[in-house]
């Protein structure tokens, strides 16, 4: 009954405040929020129509000023905006927003600065402006965003084939200048993604979406600006006095005191899906975000030989002195799948898994007599273990081998056999250990060199290669013609796409972006470099290496991290210097975003940069250099 009353009241308020809706209404999903936004005075009358139209830059400014005035900002008292000038508009709200540093012009020439008031805005432009509202320096009007609300979220937009727009920009490109704003809007709940863990950065933004965004911004501010999806984030910290590790929250508060060691001298594990595995002696336990031991509802009392967290509800564990494996539920720890062990993760999100014998075999090999199948991310069996070997799904199919068979089958994601007719002559070739969908790595029996063939026997890469793998955007990277040679980028038809990669740097940095390096004995004197190239082998950027301190890595989007020693004036050797190496972050156009010196090691962790200093202390940063903790 209460829900019916709320619905009736919402329609009643909607009808009173928006008579024009009879012929010009918001989308059905937006109507409730739009009614509230209008009732709260957040939508000027000039914007109460054309709800599905793309919002213009001037109208977004009108919404911002309406929000700020609603929250108590006095533009009559703070009237410096009257001195702001644009060459193409005299709109007062545009000038007010410019004074506060929320927007900028798009072009400046001898005749002045142009704002382009009637241009549409993109989603990432909206996110940047929304974040800028929190930086006006008046907490009585709008709270300042906390560092915890700036924790990077790794969207999947860059993990899809590029769609080039009229301005020659990739449609899914997350610009470095917008990343902080996007992360703030996501964490604060002010601006959500578009589904599928995508943000759609260059997508358009409508009037109704913009009005709802201002409603959420107002609600966030009314609650003190404290809400954050990342409030449960945890970061490793190092106690220099004890040499042990613990965990802090984004505000720097100790949540789990330093009491854990790393694994064989390395860092302890990072939190995944809200849980972390910690080492206790030679065994592992699972903790929740509060440091409480979980997964104890089993005969091992939550102490395992090893742990792989699969999702927020499942984990794979080794037990009984590494004799067998189980899938357990989280947080209780009940066994959901007996005698099973999760293995490699496939491109479709599934895990390969082993079904182990109920009775452990004699001898040191626990996999003797085991069969393989597929689990989903929740640990549910999707394709029963019935094969001696399974491979990675790609384009909906996978190669599998039955026990004792030399010729494989091709199956689909339902487990149905698509084809038994493999066209590869296994009297000449051995299976090379890897397959992605229909593409199989094969090894020449005479030369032991590797190549790629399709399931039906078509040769893609000749068997004169080594170190072959398939990139996320659908290219092969394979080693050269000699054991010590570098690698090249090939398309799925086997055509070479690039110059030669260095043998130690032949990999995809981020989607469709490839890093490789040239180095020699004299690279410390400046003749080495890191180079970033695109899928056609074209150079995107190039950076002198100096003396390499660590290869490039990426957040999976558009930020790239590499580490080098930069020689001070009194050092010409290119070797390690007392102040440590530099970590430098660039975007994938080669623009430098941030750098720090004095680090021992740095890499990306869930989109965030983790830096270990010379003294062992650990710091976390956003790709734009904002220190989180």
């Amino acid at each position: 009954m209460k829900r019916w009353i709320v619905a009736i009241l919402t329609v009643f308020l909607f009808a009173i405040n928006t008579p024009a809706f009879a012929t010009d209404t918001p989308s059905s999903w937006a109507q409730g929020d739009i009614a509230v936004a209008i009732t709260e005075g957040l939508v000027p009358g000039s914007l109460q129509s054309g709800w599905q139209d793309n919002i213009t830059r001037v109208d977004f400014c009108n919404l911002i000023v309406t929000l700020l005035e609603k929250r108590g900002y006095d533009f009559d008292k703070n009237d410096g905006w009257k001195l702001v000038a644009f060459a193409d508009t005299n709109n007062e709200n545009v000038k007010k927003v410019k004074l506060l540093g929320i927007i900028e012009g798009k072009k400046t020439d001898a005749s002045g600065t142009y704002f382009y008031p009637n241009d549409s805005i993109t989603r990432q432009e909206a996110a940047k402006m929304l974040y800028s509202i929190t930086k006006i320096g008046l907490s009585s009007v709008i709270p300042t965003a906390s560092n915890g609300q700036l924790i990077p979220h790794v969207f999947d937009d860059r993990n899809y084939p590029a769609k080039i727009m009229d301005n020659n920009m990739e449609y899914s490109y997350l610009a470095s200048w917008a990343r902080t704003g996007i992360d703030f809007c996501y964490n604060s709940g002010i601006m959500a993604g578009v589904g599928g863990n995508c943000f759609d950065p260059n997508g358009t933004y409508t009037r109704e979406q913009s009005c709802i965004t201002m409603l959420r911004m107002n609600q966030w501010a009314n609650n003190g600006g404290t809400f954050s999806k990342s409030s449960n984030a945890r970061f490793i910290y190092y106690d220099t006095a004890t040499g042990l590790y613990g965990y802090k929250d984004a505000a720097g508060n100790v949540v789990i005191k330093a009491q854990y060691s790393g694994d064989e001298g390395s860092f302890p594990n990072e939190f995944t899906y809200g849980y972390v595995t910690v080492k206790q002696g030679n065994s592992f336990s699972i903790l929740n975000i509060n440091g409480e031991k979980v997964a104890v509802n089993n005969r091992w009392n939550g102490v395992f030989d090893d742990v792989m967290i699969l999702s927020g509800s499942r984990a794979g564990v080794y037990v009984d002195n590494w004799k067998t494996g189980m899938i357990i539920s989280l947080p209780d720890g009940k066994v959901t799948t007996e005698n099973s062990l999760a293995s490699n993760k496939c491109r479709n999100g599934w895990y390969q898994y082993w079904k182990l014998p109920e009775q452990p075999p004699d001898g040191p090999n626990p996999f003797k007599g085991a069969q393989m199948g597929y689990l989903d991310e929740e640990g549910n069996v999707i394709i029963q273990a019935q094969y001696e070997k399974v491979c990675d799904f790609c384009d909906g199919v996978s190669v599998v081998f039955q026990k004792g068979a030399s010729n494989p089958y091709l199956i689909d994601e339902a487990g149905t056999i698509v084809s038994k007719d493999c066209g590869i002559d296994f009297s000449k070739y051995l299976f090379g250990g890897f397959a992605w969908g229909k593409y199989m790595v094969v090894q020449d029996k005479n030369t032991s060199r590797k190549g790629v063939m399709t399931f039906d026997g078509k040769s893609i890469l000749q068997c004169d290669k080594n170190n072959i793998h398939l990139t996320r955007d659908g290219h092969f990277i394979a080693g050269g013609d000699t054991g010590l040679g570098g690698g090249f980028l090939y398309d799925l038809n086997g055509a070479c796409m690039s110059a030669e990669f260095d043998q130690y740097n032949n990999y995809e940095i981020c989607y469709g972006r490839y890093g490789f390096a040239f180095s020699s004995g004299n690279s410390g004197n400046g003749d080495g470099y890191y180079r970033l190239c695109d899928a056609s082998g074209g150079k995107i950027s190039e950076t002198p290496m100096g003396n390499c301190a660590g290869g490039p890595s990426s957040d999976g989007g558009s930020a790239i991290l590499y580490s080098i020693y930069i020689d001070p004036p009194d050092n010409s050797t290119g070797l390690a210097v007392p102040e440590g190496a530099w970590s430098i972050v660039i975007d994938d156009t080669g623009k430098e975003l941030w750098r720090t010196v004095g680090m021992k090691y740095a890499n990306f962790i869930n989109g965030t940069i983790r830096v270990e200093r010379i003294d062992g202390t650990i710091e976390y940063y956003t790709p734009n250099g904002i220190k989180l903790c």
Side-chain angles (χ1 to χ4, degrees):
M1 178 62 71
K2 289 182 178 179
R3 285 181 292 175
W4 281 104
I5 292 173
V6 170
I8 292 169
L9 287 174
T10 299
V11 173
F12 179 69
L13 287 172
F14 201 54
I16 289 175
N17 289 284
T18 57
F21 285 6
T23 56
D24 187 6
T25 61
S27 302
S28 57
W29 59 265
Q31 288 182 5
D33 284 333
I34 292 293
V36 175
I38 292 174
T39 300
E40 294 188 4
L42 298 173
V43 185
S46 61
L47 288 176
Q48 294 182 26
S49 61
W51 296 101
Q52 291 82 37
D53 292 345
N54 295 336
I55 195 164
T56 62
R57 287 165 59 81
V58 66
D59 282 337
F60 204 76
C61 290
N62 292 337
L63 283 174
I64 292 173
V65 170
T66 301
L67 171 71
L68 293 177
E69 289 180 334
K70 173 72 176 177
R71 300 199 57 80
Y73 192 90
D74 190 345
F75 282 103
D76 291 330
K77 180 180 179 180
N78 304 293
D79 62 356
W81 58 270
K82 294 179 180 179
L83 301 177
V84 175
F86 284 103
D88 56 349
T89 182
N90 198 38
N91 182 279
E92 292 185 359
N93 287 342
V94 170
K95 296 196 287 185
K96 290 173 181 176
V97 176
K98 172 64 172 72
L99 175 70
L100 295 175
I102 297 171
I103 56 96
E104 299 292 337
K106 294 181 71 172
K107 169 187 161 185
T108 299
D109 60 23
S111 60
T113 299
Y114 291 81
F115 181 69
Y116 291 86
N118 296 317
D119 280 8
S120 299
I121 64 171
T122 64
R123 289 174 54 82
Q124 62 182 337
E125 288 172 338
K128 180 180 184 296
M129 287 186 274
L130 290 164
Y131 170 58
S132 296
I133 294 174
T134 74
K135 299 167 65 178
I136 64 175
L138 286 174
S139 58
S140 60
V141 177
I142 288 285
T144 301
S146 68
N147 279 3
Q149 290 159 342
L150 308 182
I151 294 174
H153 178 79
V154 180
F155 289 98
D156 290 334
D157 292 83
R158 295 307 304 278
N159 293 331
Y160 298 94
K163 174 184 175 183
I164 306 300
M165 301 187 297
D166 291 341
N167 62 0
N168 206 35
M169 178 183 286
E170 289 183 30
Y171 182 81
S172 60
Y173 189 76
L174 292 163
S176 57
W177 50 260
R179 289 295 292 270
T180 303
I182 291 172
D183 291 329
F184 163 73
C185 288
Y186 174 83
N187 287 320
S188 64
I190 289 171
M191 189 176 177
V194 295
N197 193 39
C198 290
F199 187 77
D200 192 26
N202 289 296
T204 54
Y205 213 45
T206 64
R207 285 188 170 196
E208 60 189 2
Q209 289 172 328
S210 301
C211 293
I212 291 173
T213 292
M214 294 304 165
L215 172 64
R216 290 173 179 161
M217 188 91 179
N218 192 51
Q219 293 169 336
W220 173 81
N222 284 340
N223 291 323
T226 58
F227 174 79
S228 178
K229 292 180 183 178
S230 61
S231 60
N232 291 333
R234 297 292 180 261
F235 301 91
I236 299 170
Y237 80 94
Y238 177 72
D239 187 331
T240 56
T242 63
L244 299 175
Y245 298 92
Y247 296 87
K248 294 182 178 181
D249 63 18
N253 303 308
V254 173
V255 180
I256 303 173
K257 69 178 183 179
Q259 55 188 304
Y260 301 107
S261 61
D263 187 10
E264 298 180 356
S266 65
F267 288 118
N269 292 310
E270 296 276 355
F271 271 83
T272 303
Y273 301 112
Y275 298 99
V276 69
T277 60
V278 293
K279 190 174 183 180
Q280 296 181 312
N282 292 320
S283 301
F284 292 87
S285 294
I286 306 174
L287 306 181
N288 64 18
I289 60 172
N290 298 317
E292 299 161 338
K293 183 178 174 182
V294 299
V296 298
N297 193 0
N298 48 61
R299 65 182 177 85
W300 307 282
N301 196 31
V303 179
F304 310 107
D305 298 321
D306 203 356
V307 177
M308 176 190 292
I309 296 175
L310 305 178
S311 69
S313 62
R314 293 291 187 273
V317 297
Y318 268 119
V319 293
D320 298 337
N321 197 27
W322 295 84
K323 290 182 179 179
T324 190
M326 303 284 177
I327 306 297
I328 62 172
S329 60
L330 296 175
D332 53 21
K334 294 180 180 179
V335 175
T336 61
T337 309
E338 299 272 2
N339 303 313
S340 297
L341 183 66
S343 183
N344 298 324
K345 192 168 186 177
C346 299
R347 289 168 177 254
N348 65 351
W350 293 357
Y351 289 95
Q352 301 170 16
Y353 86 103
W354 296 89
K355 184 67 174 178
L356 305 173
E358 292 187 8
Q359 295 296 325
D362 295 331
N365 183 10
F367 297 100
K368 184 178 180 180
Q371 293 182 305
M372 296 191 73
Y374 296 91
L375 305 171
D376 66 13
E377 290 182 286
E378 297 300 317
N380 303 307
V381 175
I382 301 300
I383 298 178
Q384 292 285 346
Q386 55 190 296
Y387 303 106
E388 186 172 51
K389 170 70 177 174
V390 298
C391 300
D392 196 344
F393 269 96
C394 186
D395 295 329
V397 295
S398 178
V399 166
V400 296
F401 287 84
Q402 290 191 321
K403 185 177 181 179
S406 59
N407 288 348
Y409 292 170
L410 196 67
I411 64 170
D412 62 20
E413 291 181 341
T416 303
I417 296 174
V418 175
S419 175
K420 296 182 179 180
D421 299 323
C422 183
I424 299 173
D425 185 353
F426 284 101
S427 67
K428 298 180 180 179
Y429 303 102
L430 298 172
F431 175 59
F434 297 95
W436 306 275
K438 68 179 182 179
Y439 298 97
M440 299 176 61
V441 176
V442 295
Q443 180 176 327
D444 188 292
K445 287 185 176 181
N446 295 321
T447 66
S448 296
R449 302 304 302 279
K450 294 181 179 180
V452 175
M453 297 180 119
T454 61
F455 182 84
D456 59 8
K458 178 183 177 181
S459 177
I460 303 298
L461 296 179
Q462 297 296 321
C463 285
D464 55 4
K465 309 291 189 300
N466 61 71
N467 192 26
I468 301 170
H469 63 271
L470 181 69
T471 68
R472 288 177 297 168
D473 71 334
H475 290 83
F476 291 109
I477 294 181
D481 294 341
T482 66
L484 298 178
F488 294 86
L489 181 69
Y490 301 87
D491 69 16
L492 293 181
N493 292 314
C496 186
M497 305 288 290
S498 73
E500 187 174 17
F501 292 6
D502 181 86
Q503 67 184 100
Y504 302 112
N505 292 275
N506 51 352
Y507 48 83
E508 185 177 27
I509 301 298
C510 55
Y511 185 86
R513 302 291 187 266
Y514 301 88
F516 65 100
F518 166 78
S519 60
S520 70
N522 297 320
S523 62
N525 293 325
D527 66 341
Y529 57 79
Y530 284 130
R531 180 178 291 171
L532 190 68
C533 71
D534 59 24
S536 64
K539 183 173 72 174
I540 296 173
S541 65
E542 186 171 288
T543 304
M545 184 187 297
N547 189 290
C548 175
S553 62
S554 171
D555 65 346
S558 56
I560 298 161
L561 167 74
Y562 61 94
S563 303
I564 62 175
Y565 293 114
I566 299 177
D567 298 339
D570 59 347
N571 185 304
S572 60
T573 66
L575 302 177
V577 290
E579 61 264 34
W582 286 82
S583 282
I584 299 174
V585 184
I586 61 175
D587 67 18
D588 61 357
T589 68
K591 176 184 177 182
E592 182 172 321
L593 306 180
W594 172 70
R595 63 171 58 197
T596 185
V597 72
M599 70 94 203
K600 180 179 178 182
Y601 184 75
N603 65 331
F604 274 103
I605 300 292
N606 299 323
T608 301
I609 299 169
R610 184 178 68 191
V611 174
E612 181 186 7
R613 297 296 181 186
I614 299 298
D615 64 358
T617 56
I618 302 170
E619 299 169 354
Y620 291 81
Y621 294 83
T622 71
N624 287 343
I626 299 172
K627 185 176 180 180
L628 298 171
C629 62

